[in-house]
């Protein structure tokens, strides 16, 4: 299970340190401002591709996100595979194989 509240706060802190606005982040990851706002407050979950794009934006190693998982699950497995694949830099991969 993912601790979405802590993950949202983590990305909000990174945004503040980089001095980005929520609008700038939303534009980079191609989601709405409201999506970023709700994700950072822990009110809304976000999809895997958005998380990967946020990692790219903030230059965060995907392995750091494992601290937000309360137990091992399929998402962790997908993160590890995706991090080591050629698809890592793609913004709109349809699926992870």
């Amino acid at each position: 299970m993912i601790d979405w509240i802590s993950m949202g706060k983590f990305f909000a802190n990174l945004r503040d340190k980089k001095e980005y606005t929520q609008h700038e982040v939303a534009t980079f990851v191609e989601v709405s401002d409201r999506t970023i706002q709700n994700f950072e407050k822990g009110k809304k979950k976000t999809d895997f591709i958005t998380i990967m794009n946020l990692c790219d934006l903030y230059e965060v190693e995907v392995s750091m996100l494992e601290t937000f998982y309360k137990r091992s699950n399929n998402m962790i497995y997908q993160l590890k595979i995706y991090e080591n694949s050629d698809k890592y830099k793609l913004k709109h991969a349809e699926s992870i194989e």
Side-chain angles (χ1 to χ4, degrees):
M1 182 175 316
I2 301 170
D3 183 352
W4 290 103
I5 294 171
S6 294
M7 186 183 287
K9 288 179 183 178
F10 171 74
F11 281 112
N13 286 333
L14 290 174
R15 182 179 56 76
D16 288 340
K17 286 179 184 178
K18 295 275 190 176
E19 299 182 354
Y20 294 147
T21 66
Q22 288 179 334
H23 178 73
E24 290 170 326
V25 172
T27 300
F28 180 85
V29 299
E30 299 179 354
V31 296
S32 70
D33 296 8
R34 177 75 71 187
T35 297
I36 295 299
Q37 185 179 58
N38 287 334
F39 173 61
E40 289 183 351
K41 290 181 179 181
K43 292 182 179 181
K44 183 180 178 206
K45 300 174 185 178
T46 194
D47 62 81
F48 180 71
I49 298 300
T50 300
I51 291 171
M52 299 306 298
N53 289 335
L54 288 169
C55 287
D56 282 346
L57 176 64
Y58 297 124
E59 300 175 352
V60 171
E61 292 293 325
V62 176
S63 59
M64 289 183 65
L65 300 182
E66 291 183 27
T67 60
F68 300 107
Y69 292 84
K70 296 179 181 175
R71 64 176 182 242
S72 179
N73 61 29
N74 194 40
M75 187 84 164
I76 287 280
Y77 182 68
Q78 288 177 337
L79 283 171
K80 288 180 180 176
I81 290 174
Y82 194 71
E83 179 181 28
N84 294 321
S85 75
D86 294 337
K87 297 179 184 177
Y88 180 71
K89 293 294 181 183
L90 293 180
K91 292 181 70 91
H92 295 290
E94 291 298 317
S95 64
I96 299 163
E97 299 176 320

